[in-house]
């Protein structure tokens, strides 16, 4: 039985290059799903090019920002404009088009990155610059900070001492209770409940429950979509959590796709495909929500986007570009079907025990074979053409989610989308050559040999000749003048010199990535160092903001 014509449609989003097979869909709610797929294939011959019935999809296709984020940006501009007026003592209010978009991009590293972000935010708060920030992106340990802060709907409008004190309590407590018999029973009960809800459980879900214990005194019922309350008035920066999707039997170098999580949506940047945050993990087919699963508690998402293995991604930055310069030309390849031995060997080399499995919301769709020709498609090196000889890869039934640190330790890709129009990036910790290789508008990071050996506390990079290029304030986590100064311009006395000694890099450092417990002293020192590096370089941060405002005004003239 053929479905009604209204049920066989092509979501006609202009410029969309994620297509169905064929570029149509039918409602799998009417009859068996497999029969629905078959009907869709048959209906390819009767392609309805003028149909415009995409509004009933449960997904959003396109590279523009969602309506909720657009509304947030309008509200946030009022906070940013007011903060800039006060900081720079402006005579007149800034117009909307004159307000720069400032983003904080963080890197991962467990408790070290969690504590460092608290200190940086505390420094920005003391400079009255926190209200100038529109976005904060995170991965790994910095998402611990973000998730904890956004439980409080007005955290950035208050003193941060209570949040920092609670984080210190959790960072310094004994973690042995994580393996107690009562805790093991709790893990088992929670994982069984999650499986009954319809989720595929794995080691990463257990890791998420362990993170819940590491960061909380009890069960954390918080969910990502609930953070919308912290954005309703534009009172806080918008948080973006970053992860990477991978595939079985493929190394991270061969295949990876950026995934962004916000309180509004979860989306695959490569495809311009987004679903509501509360629907992530639910079952979809051809853009329709088939089975709604309860939204995961945030501890499970933290398990997805937090690393539990050593960083291995930096070597991938030296790969040759894989995208052809001419979309219609592919490199010639020889494809040999793997035998049992080679399959077993490759499986052993590429298997990841730390991959979280979620239902793929793109199930039922595949890439159009001309998707690279679409003008909206971003030709980053990471937007790899999913090709085998003479065919495109099929979408898998499940998304394999890992921490982005398996590829590269940065949370930047969502904020480099041109739709977000970021003017200033406050980049905490390391910088990479990733951006130039991806052909992303980004200022050239040029460090002298001396700087490479001994990084300074702050650098400012800009390229006014490159359209869409943000101004970058690079703040690596280093212990430089903090060794002699306890506050900007305030020297340490002899008895205070010990406070300025922090070992951040050696193999015996108390701040190594695998450390799960700090002493109160180590926590306080790292927090003070991160705050100091912001305060001590306030003039450079202010300079970047002023340049961004001038650019905005000049571009509108």
């Amino acid at each position: 039985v053929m479905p009604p014509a209204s049920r066989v449609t092509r979501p006609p989003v202009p410029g969309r290059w994620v297509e169905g097979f064929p570029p149509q869909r039918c409602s799998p709610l009417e009859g068996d799903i497999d029969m629905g797929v078959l009907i869709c294939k048959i209906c390819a011959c009767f392609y309805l090019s003028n149909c415009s019935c995409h509004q009933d999809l449960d997904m959003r296709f396109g590279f523009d920002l969602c309506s909720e984020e657009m509304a947030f940006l309008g509200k946030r501009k009022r906070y940013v404009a007011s903060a800039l007026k006060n900081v720079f003592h402006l005579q007149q209010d800034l117009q909307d088009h004159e307000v720069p978009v400032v983003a904080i991009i963080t890197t991962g590293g467990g408790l070290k990155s969690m504590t460092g972000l608290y200190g940086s935010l505390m420094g920005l708060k003391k400079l009255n610059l926190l209200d100038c920030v529109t976005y904060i992106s995170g991965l790994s340990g910095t998402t611990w900070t973000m998730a904890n802060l956004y439980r409080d709907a007005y955290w950035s409008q208050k003193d941060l001492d209570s949040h920092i004190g609670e984080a210190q309590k959790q960072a310094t407590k004994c973690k042995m209770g994580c393996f107690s018999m009562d805790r093991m029973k709790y893990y088992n009960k929670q994982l069984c409940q999650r499986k009954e809800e319809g989720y595929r459980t794995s080691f990463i879900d257990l890791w998420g429950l362990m993170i819940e214990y590491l960061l909380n005194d009890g069960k954390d019922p918080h969910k990502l979509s609930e953070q919308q309350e912290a954005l309703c008035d534009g009172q806080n920066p918008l948080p973006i959590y970053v992860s990477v999707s991978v595939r079985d039997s493929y190394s991270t170098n061969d295949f990876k796709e950026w995934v962004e999580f916000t309180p509004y949506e979860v989306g695959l940047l490569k495809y311009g495909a987004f679903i509501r945050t509360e629907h992530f993990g639910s079952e979809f087919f051809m853009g329709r929500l088939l089975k709604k699963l309860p939204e995961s508690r945030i501890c499970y998402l933290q398990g997805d986007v937090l690393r539990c293995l050593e960083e291995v991604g930096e070597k991938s930055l030296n790969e040759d570009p894989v995208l052809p310069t001419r979309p219609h030309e592919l490199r010639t390849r020889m494809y040999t079907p793997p035998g049992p031995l080679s399959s077993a060997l490759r499986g052993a080399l590429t298997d990841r025990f730390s991959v979280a499995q979620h239902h793929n919301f793109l199930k039922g769709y595949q890439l159009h074979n001309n998707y690279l020709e679409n003008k909206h498609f971003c030709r980053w090196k990471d937007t790899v053409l999913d090709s085998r000889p003479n065919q495109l890869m099929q979408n898998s039934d499940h998304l394999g989610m890992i921490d982005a640190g398996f590829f590269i330790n940065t949370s930047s890709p969502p904020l480099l989308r041109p739709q977000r129009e970021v003017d200033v990036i406050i980049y905490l910790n390391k910088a990479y050559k990733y951006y130039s290789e991806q052909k992303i508008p980004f200022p050239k990071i040029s460090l002298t040999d001396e700087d490479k050996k001994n990084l300074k506390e702050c650098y400012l990079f800009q390229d006014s000749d490159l359209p869409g290029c943000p101004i970058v304030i690079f703040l690596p986590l280093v212990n430089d003048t903090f060794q002699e100064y306890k506050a900007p311009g305030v020297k340490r006395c002899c008895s205070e010199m010990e406070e300025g000694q922090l070992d951040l890099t050696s193999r015996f450092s108390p701040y190594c990535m695998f450390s799960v417990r700090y002493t109160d002293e180590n926590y306080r020192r790292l927090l003070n160092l991160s705050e100091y590096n912001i305060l001590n370089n306030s003039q450079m941060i202010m300079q970047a903001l002023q340049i961004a405002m001038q650019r905005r005004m000049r571009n509108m003239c």
Side-chain angles (χ1 to χ4, degrees):
V1 178
M2 297 292 291
S6 61
R7 290 289 189 180
V8 184
T9 61
R10 175 190 183 185
V13 179
R16 185 171 70 81
W17 42 267
V18 178
E19 305 288 350
F21 186 93
Q24 302 156 327
R25 62 176 180 81
C26 67
S27 172
L29 301 177
E30 299 184 10
D32 185 72
I33 293 179
D34 293 335
M35 182 59 68
V37 176
L38 177 61
I39 291 173
C40 275
K41 293 181 178 181
I42 296 173
C43 291
C45 301
F46 309 102
Y47 171 56
L48 305 177
S49 61
N50 296 321
C51 185
S52 57
C53 302
H54 68 284
Q55 291 87 353
D56 61 341
L57 281 178
D58 297 308
M59 295 177 59
R60 184 177 70 86
F61 287 108
F63 292 91
D64 54 330
L65 304 180
C66 67
S67 58
E68 292 89 346
E69 184 170 342
M70 294 298 294
F72 161 81
L73 291 175
K75 297 173 182 177
R76 185 62 183 170
K77 282 183 179 180
R78 297 198 295 267
Y79 281 86
V80 177
S82 177
L84 290 172
K85 182 180 180 181
N86 292 334
V87 169
F88 290 100
H89 307 290
L90 302 178
Q91 299 298 317
Q92 297 180 341
D93 293 336
L94 290 173
Q95 301 300 310
D96 283 356
H97 63 269
E98 298 173 335
V99 178
V101 177
V102 181
I104 296 176
I105 291 178
T106 66
T107 57
L111 286 180
K112 180 179 178 180
S113 58
M114 180 194 82
T115 308
L117 181 54
Y118 274 119
S120 298
L121 294 176
M122 187 164 61
L124 292 172
K125 179 72 175 176
K126 289 185 177 181
L127 294 172
N128 297 316
L129 293 177
L130 188 53
D131 276 344
C132 299
V133 178
T134 300
Y135 292 104
I136 300 178
S137 67
L139 78 159
S140 191
T142 55
T143 66
W144 298 353
T145 303
M146 294 162 62
N148 290 338
L149 287 175
Y150 280 88
R151 295 175 188 169
D152 184 347
Y154 288 87
W155 68 267
S156 67
Q157 306 303 310
K158 302 176 182 178
D159 194 298
L160 298 181
D161 288 347
S162 60
H163 295 287
I164 291 173
E166 176 61 25
Q168 180 175 356
K169 172 186 172 184
Q170 301 302 328
T172 57
K173 73 179 182 182
C174 178
K175 306 299 192 296
M176 293 306 297
C178 188
F179 303 102
S180 68
M181 185 58 65
D182 288 342
R183 202 67 192 174
M184 291 296 177
K185 292 178 181 179
Y186 171 78
Y187 297 154
N188 182 64
K189 180 180 178 180
Q190 292 298 309
L191 292 175
C192 289
Q193 178 181 337
R194 184 166 175 79
K195 190 172 183 178
E196 290 175 359
E197 291 173 347
Y199 286 96
R200 295 182 66 178
T201 56
S202 66
F203 167 80
I204 210 68
D205 296 300
L206 175 60
W207 173 238
L209 291 170
M210 295 173 73
I211 291 173
E212 178 186 50
Y213 176 83
L214 297 180
L215 303 177
N216 302 276
D217 288 330
K219 183 176 180 179
D220 179 14
H222 184 52
K223 299 175 182 177
L224 180 55
S225 65
E226 294 172 356
Q227 294 183 8
Q228 294 180 29
E229 184 180 353
L231 308 172
C232 59
D233 297 324
Q235 69 271 36
N236 300 300
L238 180 89
I240 302 178
Y241 304 82
V242 183
S243 184
V244 170
S245 174
V246 296
R247 287 191 179 178
D248 293 338
S249 302
Y250 285 85
S251 71
T252 314
N253 292 349
D254 294 334
F255 183 92
K256 64 271 180 181
E257 296 172 338
W258 291 103
V259 187
E260 71 169 46
F261 295 75
T262 75
Y264 302 126
E265 290 186 321
V266 176
L268 287 159
L269 304 189
K270 176 176 177 180
Y271 310 112
F274 299 86
I275 59 171
R276 303 294 306 168
T277 297
E278 57 268 26
H279 292 164
F280 180 69
S282 296
E283 293 186 41
F284 283 78
F285 188 77
M286 287 192 173
R288 300 297 292 271
L289 180 61
L290 290 186
K291 182 180 180 181
K292 175 70 172 68
L293 273 60
E295 182 180 358
S296 295
R297 293 190 290 119
I298 203 164
C299 68
Y300 292 115
L301 296 183
Q302 286 178 317
D304 295 350
V305 300
L306 301 180
R307 96 190 50 181
C308 51
L309 295 178
E310 187 175 1
E311 296 173 23
V312 296
E314 194 165 349
K315 64 179 180 292
S316 64
L317 299 179
N318 296 319
E319 293 180 300
D320 293 329
V322 293
L323 284 177
T325 54
R326 298 180 181 179
H328 60 281
E329 294 181 2
L330 287 175
R331 296 174 181 172
T332 302
R333 309 178 191 182
M334 185 175 73
Y335 180 74
T336 304
L341 179 60
S342 61
S343 295
L345 180 60
R346 182 172 181 83
L349 293 174
T350 59
D351 188 36
R352 306 175 181 91
F353 72 91
S354 57
V355 175
Q357 296 287 336
H358 295 277
H359 291 291
N360 188 354
F361 52 84
L362 277 178
K363 185 176 181 180
Y365 286 94
Q366 71 175 92
L367 288 176
H368 192 282
N369 59 355
N370 292 326
Y371 80 99
L372 276 175
E373 297 178 6
N374 186 280
K375 65 181 180 179
H376 298 289
F377 181 74
C378 296
R379 288 180 60 83
W380 296 3
K381 193 172 78 171
D382 286 341
T383 53
V384 180
L385 181 64
D386 303 333
S387 61
R388 292 174 178 172
N390 303 318
Q391 69 177 24
L392 296 173
M393 290 183 185
Q394 296 287 337
N395 273 322
S396 56
D397 290 342
H398 291 83
L399 294 174
M401 307 291 293
I402 65 170
D403 174 14
F406 276 95
F407 169 53
I408 180 174
N409 191 15
T410 181
S411 58
S412 59
L415 290 171
L416 297 176
R417 291 173 56 188
Q419 294 80 10
R420 290 200 164 109
E421 300 180 340
V422 174
D423 298 287
V424 177
I425 289 175
I426 301 176
Y427 202 154
L428 305 179
N429 216 329
K430 297 180 182 178
Y432 292 91
K433 59 181 181 179
Y434 172 77
Y435 309 102
S436 61
E437 293 194 356
Q438 296 292 326
K439 309 301 182 185
I440 298 171
F442 206 81
K444 184 178 180 180
I445 307 297
S446 56
L447 298 176
T448 66
D449 292 338
E450 179 61 29
D451 282 339
K452 291 177 181 178
K453 293 179 183 178
N454 300 291
L455 285 172
K456 298 176 184 177
E457 296 168 348
C458 187
Y459 298 84
L460 193 153
F461 301 107
Q462 60 175 319
D463 189 343
S464 55
D465 297 329
L466 185 60
C469 181
I471 302 164
V472 176
I473 306 164
F474 172 38
L475 285 151
L477 184 58
V478 296
N479 187 15
D480 188 10
T481 62
F482 183 71
Q483 299 178 62
E484 298 181 5
Y485 291 84
K486 63 180 180 180
V490 182
K491 275 205 165 189
R492 297 183 183 277
C493 61
C494 294
S495 62
E496 296 171 329
M497 296 302 289
E498 180 64 23
E499 289 288 320
Q501 303 305 310
L502 284 84
D503 177 9
L504 297 171
T505 57
S506 80
R507 58 187 300 184
F508 303 107
S509 169
Y511 305 110
C512 69
M513 188 181 66
F514 296 106
S515 177
V516 295
R517 186 183 184 186
Y518 287 170
T519 64
D520 285 311
E521 182 181 8
N522 287 337
Y523 180 91
R524 179 172 44 80
R525 287 185 183 182
L526 181 58
L527 184 76
N528 291 340
L529 168 65
S530 304
E531 179 193 23
Y532 171 87
N533 284 354
I534 292 286
L535 297 176
N536 197 46
N537 295 279
S538 59
Q539 291 303 315
M540 199 169 292
I541 299 174
M542 303 267 285
Q543 179 186 352
L545 295 175
Q546 200 157 27
I547 294 172
M549 286 191 293
Q550 292 170 354
R551 278 191 188 180
R552 283 268 177 171
M553 295 176 185
R554 186 168 58 248
N555 291 339
M556 295 305 297
C557 292

